[in-house]
């Protein structure tokens, strides 16, 4: 009897779902999440194991983004080519895409979306004929699996470097924490943490451990599910022991004197509605994606009981991570700030089609000149810390933000850990800033 | 003094109390001690005076995680600080036990009626303040016992005293996760507890007293709050159906009451010049009045002894609601600035003539105060700026007045602050400038005409701070204006951080305005100069203290 009732309820629920959501074609799912199922991409002149340098770069120019091409051409760095690997996202995220993407659509205005509960909102292949294709890609990134439902980077070393002299001017040691309140698929509770009275979408918490003059500086960014609402951002200054609200002017500020804006975090860290988005095509490009455990690592910067070592850097000024690059299917997305006073005229984002991470970004200044090159190296979770194995999270593992005009860079060395215990909701409160700072 | 350096008994006793609170559950150290700190020299040069500060500081901070069976995130934190200020050795003509002034208030005004030599008796109504009275005048030292009675050696080494101030902070933190997801958090030990969100002046941030002798109002409060032995308990409720964050905090200051340090006469920084006033005499015997000896201004300091009834406590509820963060505060504490209680002559007729008791004019007391207040931060999306509001209503404070020495009155204090971060491309940097403006207001509810403070007064501050060279070069402009005193301070500075270790900061601190000469009383009929210093406020009284300041710090 109970079984009968249960079946009836399930059938009813399925009928309700069917009434609201068109099922997503499995071919679309496979194309979106497993683009290399039928084979790795190939490129003329590029072979696994080769080194691309100033001498041979012109022959493979089409498979590099413009900034990387310039660096290699100038002899600032070399590209070591690795094998294309399958960065499969967690099954729960794929399943959520099956479940919800069929009923997801853009709202009337940029920044508005309907029906996106979890998973990739728009798994369909983008079309140059679709005037809002760029916006859909931006949503796929924003609601992407990025760090999964929560993760921590601890520790996280940022080095401010003079690119000409190679001098490390500052080393800042951080802890970073990320927590999704909504669009959760893998860590309980899902799809959302409750209560959530203000409708938070995501929290980012940053704590400075060193050096002394900025020790205990903490940043908390709360992003809302409603994209039209501006982030709440709080800064705790250790030497003042108090929390300051941040105006968004600081989002485009050089964060703690680095070459990075808060808006740059993870490739783009802002509202969809702050930008005009344009899809510029799909390419096969080399991206810095690799197996961490197979690299020659930096044995000096970090030592711990796990025996973990961070990615090493080399090249001009020590501004380039010593990682391998692999051919990937890439969506080229351009974002232009709506705000005419924004310090950036546009950004080019080179999005990895499988993971929807953004390993390469190029920023242009207000005059339209190339200003910054932003590299976020992605490590495969199964070849990283044992704890990350099977998480399906492409691990941000090394970054380099190069200010091309100033010959200056900020490099980042990560110990990224996908572990919900490291980022409880209590970490994302204003009170935590005060408590952790005192 | 050096006896106190080695007097660990109090520390051990208080440390034992911390252990009792957490019981035997703290079982073992779980990781290495983390150390950080700095060595710093601050050399300040004062116009027409010479060296005014040659302060050498060593500060070390440590933290260590502890493992516990029943508590989480257990850790011990400490901050140790030692200072030697060489100005008392290098400029002993101006500062120190031998640096007498010609007349009271010489460093901030010219002679007036009470400080001009009267022919005949060849003396002044008020004597000059005695520098470091415990080095020079046993009677004054006795009267000031317990407050403003530092010796020159104490000013040279301010942390090495009976209160063991070289241990700036030493506390244990621990969290207990409750079944419903809430967190109970305890901080027990010597610590700073910060309420409020203001720079330079305080409205709600009044739990710890402040050491103004270090650098008047201009050092970070972090460095001049006087840490106290306290128990802070927080019940963190997190998000609810209404609030994004909610937290209830109880603070119990179990330490012996300590007032704010205003600076002893002879020190280079003595806010309102109060220290010299407290160590001066009315020369009534020299003037031929019916006194056998001159009358010390201060007869006694009624600093409360430690007792359970004399401890201080407060409660705060804070949270986040939409775009606003808020707090509601209540505190039962003691006034940290001295209140002067006039002591009339015991002979009724002389008392009626307004003459003071022969053994001292005033007693210093620190009355009980109850404060209720609150704060709101609101981010305005339209203005892309943050507004800060703090409000405090206090009951039990005492304000000075000419005729009766003091009067208890309710007070309202408030601050409205505006913060905006703005990238200004024409200033050739991509870093946002911090623009912060504040207006402090004070309203005396039971105001009297003979009070030195206006019924309403405002002090405005403005901060403009920019960043260049990856934040390693930072110019700053700090300004403040006291409307009643008509006095202002302008302090431009620039800091340079060449690497992770070194910091150089060069600053000017220029004061202007203020009433440099006074009618010798607020009421205009008496000759008691001292109260006029309150009229002139902390900026106006420092009107001759223009300084060039260089600070060099090595952090580790």
């Amino acid at each position: 009897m109970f079984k009968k009732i249960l079946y009836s309820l399930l059938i009813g629920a399925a009928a309700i779902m069917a009434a609201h959501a068109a099922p997503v074609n499995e071919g679309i799912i496979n194309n979106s999440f497993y683009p290399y199922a039928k084979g790795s991409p190939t490129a003329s002149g590029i072979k696994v194991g080769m080194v691309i340098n100033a001498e041979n770069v012109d022959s493979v120019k089409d498979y590099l983004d413009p900034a990387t091409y310039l660096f290699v051409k100038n002899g600032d760095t070399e590209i070591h080519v690795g094998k294309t690997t399958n960065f499969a996202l967690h099954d729960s995220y794929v399943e959520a895409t099956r479940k919800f993407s069929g009923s997801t659509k853009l709202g009337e205005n940029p920044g508005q979306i309907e029906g996106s509960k979890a998973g990739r909102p728009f798994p369909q292949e983008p079309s140059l004929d679709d005037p809002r294709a760029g916006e859909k890609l931006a949503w796929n990134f924003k609601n992407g699996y990025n760090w999964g439902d929560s993760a921590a980077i601890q520790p996280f070393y940022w080095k401010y470097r003079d690119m000409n002299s190679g001098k490390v001017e500052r080393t800042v040691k951080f802890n970073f924490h990320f927590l999704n309140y909504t669009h959760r698929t893998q860590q309980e509770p899902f799809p959302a943490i409750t209560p959530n009275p203000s409708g938070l979408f995501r929290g980012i918490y940053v704590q400075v451990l060193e050096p002394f003059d900025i020790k205990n500086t903490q940043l908390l960014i709360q992003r809302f599910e409603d994209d039209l609402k501006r982030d709440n951002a709080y800064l705790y200054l250790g030497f003042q022991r108090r929390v300051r609200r941040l105006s968004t002017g600081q989002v485009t500020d050089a964060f703690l004197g680095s070459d990075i804006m808060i808006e740059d975090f993870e490739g783009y860290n802002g509202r969809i509605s702050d930008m005009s988005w344009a899809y510029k095509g799909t390419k096969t490009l080399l991206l810095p994606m690799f197996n961490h455990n197979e690299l020659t690592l930096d044995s000096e910067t970090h030592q711990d009981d796990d025996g973990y070592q961070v990615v090493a850097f080399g090249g001009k000024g020590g501004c380039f991570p010593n990682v391998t690059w692999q051919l990937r299917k890439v969506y080229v997305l351009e974002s232009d700030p709506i705000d005419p006073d924004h310090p950036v005229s546009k950004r080019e984002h080179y999005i990895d089609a499988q993971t929807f991470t953004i390993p390469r970004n190029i920023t242009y200044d207000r005059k339209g000149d190339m200003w910054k090159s932003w590299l976020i190296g992605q490590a495969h979770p199964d070849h990283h810390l044992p704890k990350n194995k099977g998480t399906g999270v492409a691990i941000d593992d090394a970054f380099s933000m190069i200010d091309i005009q100033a010959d200056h860079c900020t490099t980042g060395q990560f110990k990224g850990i996908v572990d919900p215990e490291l980022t409880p909701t209590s970490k994302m409160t204003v009170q935590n800033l005060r408590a952790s700072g005192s | 003094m050096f006896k106190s350096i080695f007097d660990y008994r109090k520390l051990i006793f208080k440390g034992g109390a911390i252990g009792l609170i957490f019981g035997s559950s703290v079982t073992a150290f779980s990781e290495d001690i983390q150390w950080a700190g700095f060595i710093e020299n601050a050399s300040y040069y004062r116009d027409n005076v010479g060296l005014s500060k040659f302060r050498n500081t060593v500060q070390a901070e440590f933290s260590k995680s502890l493992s516990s069976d029943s508590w989480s995130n257990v850790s011990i934190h400490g901050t140790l600080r030692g200072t030697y200020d060489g100005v008392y050795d290098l400029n002993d003509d101006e500062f120190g036990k031998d640096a007498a002034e010609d007349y009271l208030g010489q460093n901030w005004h010219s002679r007036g009626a009470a400080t001009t030599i009267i022919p005949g008796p060849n003396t002044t109504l008020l004597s000059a303040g005695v520098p470091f009275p415990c080095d020079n005048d046993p009677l004054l030292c006795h009267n000031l016992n317990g407050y403003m009675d530092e010796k020159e050696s104490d000013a040279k080494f301010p942390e090495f005293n009976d209160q063991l101030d070289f241990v700036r902070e030493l506390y244990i933190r621990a969290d207990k996760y409750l079944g419903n997801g809430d967190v109970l958090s305890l901080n027990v030990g010597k610590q700073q507890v910060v309420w409020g969100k203001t720079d330079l002046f305080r409205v709600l941030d009044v739990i710890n007293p402040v050491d103004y002798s270090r650098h008047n109002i201009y050092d970070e409060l972090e460095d001049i709050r006087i840490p106290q032995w306290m128990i802070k308990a927080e019940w963190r409720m997190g998000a609810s159906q209404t609030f994004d964050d909610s937290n209830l905090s109880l603070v119990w200051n179990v330490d012996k009451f300590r007032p704010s340090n205003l600076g002893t006469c002879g020190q280079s920084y003595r806010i309102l010049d109060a220290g010299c006033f407290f160590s001066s005499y009315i020369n009534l015997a020299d003037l031929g009045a019916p006194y056998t000896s001159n009358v010390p201004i201060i007869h006694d300091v009624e600093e409360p002894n430690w007792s359970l009834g004399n401890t201080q406590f407060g409660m705060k509820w804070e949270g986040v609601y939409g775009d606003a963060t808020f707090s509601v505060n209540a505190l039962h504490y003691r006034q940290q600035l001295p209140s002067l209680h006039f002591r009339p002559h015991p002979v009724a007729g002389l008392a009626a003539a307004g003459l003071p008791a022969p053994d001292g004019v005033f007693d210093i007391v620190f009355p009980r105060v109850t404060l209720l207040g609150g704060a709101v931060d609101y981010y305005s999306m339209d203005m892309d700026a943050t507004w800060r509001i703090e409000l405090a209503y206090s009951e039990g404070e005492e304000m000075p007045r000419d005729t009766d020495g003091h009067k208890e009155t309710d007070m309202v204090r408030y601050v409205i602050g505006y913060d905006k971060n703005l990238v200004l491309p024409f200033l050739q940097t991509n870093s946002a400038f911090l623009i912060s403006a504040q207006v402090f207001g004070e309203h005396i509810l039971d105001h009297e005409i003979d009070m030195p403070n206006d019924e309403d007064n405002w002090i405005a501050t403005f901060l403009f701070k920019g960043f260049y060279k990856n934040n390693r070069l930072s110019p700053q402009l700090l300004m403040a204006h006291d409307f009643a005193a008509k006095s202002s301070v302008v302090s431009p500075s620039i800091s340079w951080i060449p690497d992770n270790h070194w910091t150089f900061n060069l600053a000017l601190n220029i004061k202007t305005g203020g009433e440099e000469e006074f009618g010798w009383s607020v009421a205009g009929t008496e000759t008691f100069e001292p109260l006029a210093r309150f009229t002139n406020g902390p900026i106006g009284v420092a009107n001759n203290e223009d300084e060039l300041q260089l600070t060099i710090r090595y952090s580790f």
Side-chain angles (χ1 to χ4, degrees):
Chain A
M1 178 63 188
F2 282 114
K3 201 181 269 185
K4 206 170 181 179
I5 293 171
L6 186 62
Y7 282 147
S8 302
L9 286 172
L10 285 172
I11 291 166
I16 290 167
M17 288 292 296
H20 289 84
V24 178
N25 184 302
E26 199 60 21
I28 290 174
I29 293 291
N30 289 334
N31 182 60
S32 183
F33 288 101
Y34 311 108
Y36 312 120
K38 293 176 184 168
S40 299
T42 56
S44 167
I46 293 182
K47 291 190 174 121
V48 173
M50 75 178 290
V51 177
I52 302 169
N53 54 30
E55 277 73 49
N56 62 3
V57 69
D58 283 327
S59 64
V60 296
K61 183 179 179 183
D62 291 346
Y63 306 105
L64 293 170
D65 65 82
T68 301
Y69 167 76
L70 284 176
F71 291 134
V72 176
K73 184 69 179 169
N74 293 338
D76 300 338
T77 187
E78 295 176 339
I79 300 288
H80 293 251
V81 178
K83 184 179 151 194
T84 298
T85 52
N86 178 26
F87 275 68
L89 302 189
H90 197 273
D91 287 345
S92 63
Y93 185 78
V94 179
E95 187 54 35
T97 304
R98 282 193 186 94
K99 187 173 179 184
F100 295 113
S101 64
S103 58
T104 300
K105 61 180 181 180
L106 292 175
E108 191 174 340
N109 299 307
Q112 294 177 328
I113 191 169
E114 297 170 14
S116 177
K117 303 283 186 210
R120 187 167 289 169
F122 302 103
Q124 300 81 4
E125 199 64 29
S127 165
L128 287 168
D129 297 329
D130 179 359
R132 301 187 74 179
E135 209 181 318
K136 290 174 183 172
L137 293 179
W139 276 111
N140 282 358
F141 168 71
K142 181 177 178 181
N143 291 357
Y145 198 54
N146 304 339
W147 274 106
D149 297 334
S150 78
I153 309 166
Q154 54 179 49
F156 193 1
Y157 299 91
W158 291 23
K159 294 180 180 173
Y160 304 180
R161 302 172 191 257
D162 182 319
M163 201 169 175
N164 289 319
S165 69
K167 182 187 172 194
V168 177
E169 297 160 346
R170 299 269 277 170
T171 300
V172 183
K173 185 178 177 184
F174 293 98
N175 284 340
F176 268 57
H177 297 261
F178 305 91
L179 176 70
N180 285 359
Y181 285 84
T182 55
H183 299 264
R184 297 168 63 85
T185 64
Q186 198 250 324
Q187 296 171 1
E188 289 186 337
F190 45 81
I193 291 170
T194 56
N196 182 5
S198 285
L200 299 180
F201 160 62
R202 194 162 199 242
I204 301 175
Y205 168 68
V206 178
Q207 183 179 30
V208 178
L209 307 176
E210 296 173 2
F212 185 82
D213 61 301
I214 53 172
K215 184 172 176 252
N216 270 335
T217 297
Q218 298 167 79
L219 173 71
L220 174 63
I221 299 171
Q222 294 177 331
R223 180 151 305 136
F224 294 92
E225 183 72 14
D226 178 0
D227 187 81
L228 300 179
K229 193 167 164 48
R230 279 190 180 153
D231 295 351
N232 276 345
Y234 305 88
L235 187 69
Y236 179 93
L237 298 171
F239 68 91
Q240 289 186 326
R241 297 199 190 203
R242 70 165 201 251
V243 175
R244 264 186 190 277
R245 293 291 294 270
L246 286 187
S247 50
T248 54
Q250 215 147 351
V251 173
T252 54
D253 188 11
F255 180 58
L256 294 181
S258 70
D259 295 290
I260 301 161
M261 304 173 185
I262 291 174
E263 193 179 79
D264 289 320
F265 288 3
E266 300 182 88
Y268 176 70
N269 182 45
R271 301 185 301 170
I272 304 292
S273 50
D274 282 334
M275 301 282 158
S276 295
W277 301 90
Y279 166 58
K280 295 293 184 181
T282 301
K283 291 186 172 183
T284 296
L285 289 185
L286 284 163
L287 291 181
M289 300 179 74
F290 47 86
N291 291 340
H292 176 102
N293 292 341
E294 295 168 9
L295 300 175
T296 302
L297 299 166
D298 177 351
S299 59
E300 292 182 3
T301 299
H302 175 77
Q303 300 281 345
D304 65 23
D305 294 340
D306 293 338
Y308 181 83
Q309 295 180 340
V310 293
V311 169
F313 277 73
K316 185 181 178 185
C319 292
F320 299 88
N322 295 339
V323 299
T324 55
W325 297 54
Q326 56 180 263
L327 285 170
R328 306 286 297 181
K329 177 182 177 184
V330 171
Y331 298 131
V332 182
L333 178 66
E334 187 177 297
S335 61
D336 303 339
I338 303 288
D339 178 2
D341 295 327
H342 198 286
V344 166
S345 64
K346 70 170 182 178
R347 289 186 177 94
E348 288 170 358
H349 308 279
Y350 295 88
I351 298 178
D352 177 59
Q354 183 178 26
T355 62
F356 261 88
T357 58
I358 315 184
R360 291 290 299 126
N361 299 265
I362 301 173
T363 304
Y364 294 82
D365 68 11
R366 290 161 69 103
K367 292 184 303 216
D369 295 336
M370 194 182 287
W371 179 18
K372 291 181 179 178
S373 167
W374 182 212
L375 176 154
I376 307 173
Q378 304 291 314
H380 198 290
D382 296 350
H383 303 275
H384 198 262
L385 285 169
K387 196 176 258 305
N388 293 332
K389 191 169 184 178
T391 59
V393 173
I395 306 288
D396 290 359
D397 203 38
F399 78 64
S400 171
M401 176 67 93
I402 298 175
D403 185 331
I404 297 162
Q405 298 175 3
D407 275 338
H408 196 273
C409 74
T410 301
T411 59
Q413 295 164 291
F414 299 59
K415 184 181 182 184
I417 311 166
V418 183
D419 179 355
E421 290 188 9
L422 297 176
T423 311
T425 52
S426 58
K427 206 86 169 167
M428 296 294 169
T429 63
V430 176
Q431 190 57 30
N432 176 59
L433 303 185
R434 296 191 188 96
S436 300
S438 62
Chain B
M1 180 196 72
F2 287 102
K3 174 177 169 290
S4 65
I5 297 174
F6 300 103
D7 186 0
Y8 292 112
R9 285 171 298 176
K10 291 177 185 172
L11 199 60
I12 292 167
F13 170 77
K14 287 166 177 171
I18 292 172
L20 283 175
I21 288 172
F22 292 101
S24 59
S25 60
V26 176
T27 53
F29 295 112
S30 63
E31 61 180 50
D32 293 338
I33 296 179
Q34 304 291 315
W35 284 96
F38 63 84
I39 301 167
E40 179 186 270
N41 172 269
S43 298
Y44 298 175
Y45 181 88
R46 187 173 296 172
D47 193 22
N48 294 321
V49 171
L51 197 66
S52 57
K53 184 180 287 295
F54 188 72
R55 189 183 69 202
N56 301 279
T57 304
V58 178
Q59 180 164 314
E61 301 176 7
F62 68 90
S63 61
K64 183 172 179 57
S65 295
L66 310 173
S67 56
S68 164
D69 297 334
S70 50
W71 292 78
S72 304
N73 305 324
V74 184
S75 55
I76 184 167
H77 303 261
T79 301
L80 309 174
R81 185 174 81 183
T83 300
Y84 161 66
D85 195 339
V87 72
Y88 304 102
D89 293 319
L90 298 173
N91 194 5
D92 55 1
D93 289 342
E94 296 288 344
F95 306 112
K97 62 186 178 187
D98 300 323
E101 295 185 330
D102 294 337
Y103 62 92
L104 183 63
Q106 184 185 8
N107 69 320
W108 56 285
H109 64 70
S110 54
R111 286 183 187 270
T115 53
T116 297
I117 296 172
I118 301 166
N122 195 34
T123 189
T124 53
L125 176 58
L126 288 166
S127 77
V130 176
F132 291 104
C134 287
D135 286 318
N136 289 310
D137 189 320
L139 173 62
L140 289 178
C141 181
H142 172 267
N143 289 6
L144 290 165
N145 186 30
Y147 181 57
M148 312 284 281
D149 63 345
E150 287 85 359
K151 294 182 176 179
E152 183 188 276
S153 55
D154 297 326
K156 285 182 187 176
F157 302 97
E159 287 88 5
F160 299 107
N161 52 25
D162 290 342
Q163 288 83 22
L164 306 180
D165 281 344
F166 67 92
V167 181
R168 271 191 69 70
E169 295 190 79
L170 181 64
Y171 60 91
I172 285 184
R173 285 182 50 190
D175 296 336
K176 173 82 87 179
Y177 290 96
L178 307 178
N180 62 353
D182 294 359
V183 181
L184 173 66
S185 180
L186 286 181
N187 278 36
V188 181
K190 194 176 189 184
Q191 58 189 302
Q192 301 181 35
V193 175
V194 182
W195 287 0
K197 313 156 192 297
T198 54
D199 298 318
L200 294 178
F201 299 95
R202 306 183 302 160
V203 173
L204 291 172
D205 182 15
V206 293
I207 294 178
N208 292 91
V210 168
D211 180 4
Y212 292 110
S213 72
R214 195 165 171 88
H215 185 205
N216 206 317
I217 58 174
Y218 302 106
D219 271 11
E220 287 290 346
L221 285 163
E222 159 81 5
D223 295 323
I224 60 174
R225 286 189 199 94
I226 300 172
Q228 299 272 276
W229 289 89
M230 292 189 263
I231 299 169
K232 184 174 76 169
E234 290 182 353
W235 176 21
R236 296 185 204 146
M237 294 166 270
S240 65
Q241 296 299 333
T242 308
F243 300 106
D244 290 295
D245 193 16
S246 179
N247 178 68
L248 186 66
S249 172
L250 300 173
V251 177
W252 184 18
N253 183 346
V254 297
D255 212 340
K256 183 179 182 297
F257 169 76
R258 286 181 72 176
S260 291
N261 184 357
L262 307 184
T264 301
C265 195
Q267 285 194 261
S268 50
Y269 296 94
R270 43 184 194 270
I271 192 168
L272 300 173
D273 205 25
C276 284
F277 170 47
F278 294 162
S279 65
S280 63
Y281 288 87
I282 298 185
N283 295 326
L284 291 175
D286 293 347
L287 291 166
Y291 289 82
T292 56
S293 60
N294 291 332
V295 181
I297 289 291
I298 301 301
H299 165 259
D300 190 21
V301 180
E302 296 180 10
E303 204 170 332
N305 293 323
W306 189 91
S307 71
L308 203 57
N310 277 335
T311 58
Q312 305 166 78
F313 49 88
M315 183 169 70
K316 175 173 71 164
W317 175 50
E318 64 197 335
V320 178
Y321 181 76
D323 287 337
T325 58
F326 66 88
S327 74
V328 180
N329 308 59
L331 182 67
H332 191 54
Y333 72 123
R334 279 190 186 274
Q335 182 172 312
Q336 294 159 353
L337 295 177
S339 176
L340 303 178
H341 285 207
F342 182 71
R343 303 174 67 249
H345 198 287
V347 177
L350 297 176
L355 290 174
D359 55 348
V361 182
F362 296 108
D363 284 331
I364 288 178
V365 301
F366 301 96
R368 273 282 190 187
V369 177
T370 300
L371 177 149
L372 296 172
V376 175
D377 277 8
Y378 175 73
Y379 171 65
S380 166
M381 197 162 90
D382 294 337
M383 302 177 74
D384 191 19
T386 300
W387 290 93
R388 290 180 278 122
I389 298 172
E390 281 185 47
L391 175 68
Y393 183 95
S394 68
E395 188 181 74
E397 283 192 62
E398 293 179 356
M399 299 296 288
R401 44 184 310 201
D402 268 5
T403 49
D404 291 338
H406 75 283
K407 182 184 180 184
E408 182 181 325
T409 173
D410 292 358
M411 303 284 295
V412 173
R413 294 188 178 87
Y414 52 91
V415 61
I416 301 171
Y418 172 84
D419 299 326
K420 186 172 178 68
N421 301 100
L422 196 60
V423 176
L424 301 169
F426 63 92
L427 290 175
Q428 304 297 312
T429 175
N430 293 310
S431 292
F433 280 70
L434 170 62
I435 300 165
S436 178
Q438 305 175 119
V439 176
F440 291 82
E442 178 181 272
H443 177 67
I444 303 172
L445 274 83
D446 299 313
H447 186 260
E448 301 287 349
I449 191 65
D450 62 345
M451 285 180 172
N453 294 47
D454 287 358
E455 185 173 0
D456 286 285
N457 186 30
W458 298 271
I459 296 176
T461 70
F462 178 75
L463 174 68
F464 186 66
K465 187 174 179 64
F467 302 94
Y468 292 85
K469 299 277 183 191
N470 298 92
N471 283 23
R472 294 186 299 136
L473 184 68
S474 177
Q476 172 180 298
L477 178 64
L478 174 68
M479 297 191 291
H481 179 75
D482 184 329
F483 285 86
K486 302 182 182 68
S487 58
S488 302
V489 59
V490 178
S491 181
S493 65
I494 187 161
S495 68
W496 167 238
I497 304 174
D499 57 28
N500 265 16
H501 299 295
W502 291 98
T503 304
F504 300 87
N505 190 76
L506 184 65
L508 280 172
N509 191 289
I510 309 293
K511 292 94 174 175
T512 59
E515 301 288 350
E516 297 182 12
E517 292 187 9
F518 294 89
W520 292 117
S521 79
V522 176
T525 56
E526 301 293 334
T527 55
F528 297 111
E529 177 265 353
L531 290 186
R533 69 192 57 230
F534 300 125
T535 312
N536 217 19
I539 299 171
V541 173
N543 54 22
N544 284 337
E545 295 181 6
D546 293 350
E547 291 184 333
L548 177 65
Q549 304 170 336
L550 175 64
T551 304
I552 302 172
R553 173 180 288 196
Y554 180 84
S555 303
F556 56 88

